[in-house]
Amino acid sequence: MTVTEITQIGKNAINDENILVLFGETITPDLLDVSIVQKKLGDEMIQLEKGGELIFGDQSYQVNGVGPLANENLNEIGHATIFFQEEVGVIPNGIYVTPEKLPDLEVGMKISYQ
């Protein structure tokens, strides 16, 4: 299991779409408004796969699909796009999870990848 901590929530990061954009602390300023910034706690590699779990605080989500670049991008720059939907799409950087409801997020909250 790999754990990160939310350090910043962009003012437009949470909206009516069931999507969250995650980035690490090397995020460029033009993406700050629409992103959730996370900091890795420890050096374990993120290895999400179908059937895994993504946990925001105490809110648990089932992983239904992981794009071919998602784990690599999460480990290198902390970036992935999380889609809260049943259908698995084709976004190379996407992580598809259910239930189809955004988690309640706050700065300091832990995200667990397992």
Side-chain angles (χ1 to χ4, degrees):
M1 173 176 65
T2 307
V3 178
T4 65
E5 181 179 337
I6 296 174
T7 60
Q8 192 170 344
I9 300 173
K11 65 181 180 190
N12 298 315
I14 300 169
N15 54 43
D16 293 341
E17 297 184 41
N18 276 358
I19 297 171
L20 290 179
V21 177
L22 300 177
F23 264 103
E25 295 184 301
T26 59
I27 186 171
T28 59
D30 57 325
L31 294 171
L32 277 173
D33 280 353
V34 296
S35 301
I36 308 295
V37 181
Q38 62 179 343
K39 170 178 69 173
K40 209 169 181 187
L41 306 177
D43 18 345
E44 302 91 11
M45 297 294 278
I46 294 172
Q47 282 301 320
L48 269 184
E49 54 189 42
K50 182 178 179 177
E53 204 172 13
L54 190 55
I55 304 169
F56 296 86
D58 60 1
Q59 303 157 92
S60 181
Y61 291 83
Q62 178 75 31
V63 176
N64 301 318
V66 178
L69 298 178
N71 283 313
E72 180 181 340
N73 285 343
L74 277 168
N75 285 305
E76 288 183 10
I77 58 174
H79 174 57
T81 303
I82 303 174
F83 295 86
F84 296 81
Q85 64 186 44
E86 184 98 25
E87 180 184 339
V88 175
V90 296
I91 305 295
N93 204 53
I95 299 170
Y96 300 87
V97 300
T98 50
E100 297 181 12
K101 176 189 180 300
L102 291 178
D104 295 320
L105 301 176
E106 59 188 46
V107 171
M109 177 179 278
K110 305 289 189 282
I111 303 173
S112 300
Y113 299 83
Q114 49 192 45

